[in-house]
């Protein structure tokens, strides 16, 4: 227990140099823990590299599964993720805030089924036990956003969001019924903050640092009983580190 809490969130970093830099940057920013929003496994060596980077991290990491972590390489890739990284769906409470890790790497039919449905079904009961005057703050961290911010602002036609709109709408309605929600995702390799159909969404997919000085990492702060305040900070990846990332990810 403490008076103030802080986390950092980023994703789409692969499993080597960029991941290690993001974790280091989170520690520099004073994060108590990291929410990683998926896609560790881009290339050969990333499975082992990601596990080693997380073991060496200065702060705890809670990770969502990305589409590359689920589908990439071979049909058992998602099992490697659960063996080396963590569960595909889970939740925890800290300082009066609920955190839900939801798998959006694979389409779920129906939307409320499976382990993800079990986790979601537990949230309202858990929220009702918290003695807060305001709606319970809920932070969802996942890989694919419910909406592509570039489509929302009209700058892109093809969506890079959750594939099934019926699934996205079901998830939106459910989480908005739990509390005051911030939905943190990756998948789009940039950083965005936007609201659509009543849901605040944050895209923290700058983990590879490929946008140079524009690349950012998301930081969240709160005090027990209060709302979560989110903002972007520079990822501040050194040029020599970015050069190594580019060498490791030539097709990016």
């Amino acid at each position: 227990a403490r008076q103030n809490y802080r986390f950092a969130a980023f994703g789409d970093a692969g499993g080597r140099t960029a991941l290690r830099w993001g974790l280091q940057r989170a520690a520099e920013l004073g994060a108590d823990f990291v929410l990683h929003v998926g896609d560790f496994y881009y290339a050969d060596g990333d499975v082992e590299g990601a596990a080693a980077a997380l073991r060496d991290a200065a702060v705890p990491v809670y990770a969502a599964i990305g589409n590359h972590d689920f589908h990439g390489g071979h049909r058992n890739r998602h099992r490697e993720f659960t063996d080396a990284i963590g569960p595909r769906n889970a939740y925890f409470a800290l300082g009066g805030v609920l955190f839900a890790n939801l798998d959006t790497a694979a389409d779920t039919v129906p939307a409320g089924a499976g382990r993800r449905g079990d986790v979601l079904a537990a949230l309202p009961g858990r929220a009702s036990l918290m003695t807060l005057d305001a709606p319970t703050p809920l932070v969802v961290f996942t890989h694919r956003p419910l909406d592509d911010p570039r489509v929302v602002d009209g700058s892109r036609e093809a969506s890079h969001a959750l594939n099934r709109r019926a699934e996205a709408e079901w998830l939106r309605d459910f989480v908005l019924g739990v509390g005051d929600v911030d939905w943190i995702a990756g998948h789009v390799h940039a950083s965005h903050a936007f609201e659509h159909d009543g849901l605040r969404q944050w895209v923290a997919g700058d983990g590879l640092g490929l946008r140079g000085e524009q690349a950012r990492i998301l930081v969240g702060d709160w005090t027990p009983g209060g709302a979560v305040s989110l903002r972007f900070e520079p990822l501040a990846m050194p040029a020599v580190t970015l050069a190594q990332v580019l060498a490791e990810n030539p097709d990016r």
Side-chain angles (χ1 to χ4, degrees), residues 167-231:
E167 181 179 6
E169 295 309 315
W170 187 92
L171 286 168
R172 186 195 318 274
D173 290 344
F174 193 101
V175 298
L176 286 174
V178 173
D180 185 33
V181 187
D182 287 287
W183 185 286
I184 303 174
H187 200 45
V188 179
H189 290 194
S191 51
H192 297 270
F194 66 107
E195 184 171 331
H196 187 61
D197 288 346
L199 181 65
R200 294 189 302 272
Q201 297 187 61
W202 305 78
V203 174
D206 259 337
L208 283 175
L210 300 185
R211 296 195 309 130
E213 293 182 357
Q214 298 180 35
R216 298 186 293 177
I217 185 172
L218 187 64
V219 175
D221 290 288
W222 81 100
T223 58
V228 177
S229 173
L230 289 159
R231 69 184 187 281

Side-chain angles (χ1 to χ4, degrees), residues 17-18 21 208-212 237-250:
T17 302
W21 174 257
L208 283 175
L210 300 185
R211 296 195 309 130
M237 184 180 289
V240 64
T241 304
L242 179 56
Q244 178 63 31
V245 172
L246 289 168
E248 293 172 350
N249 300 273

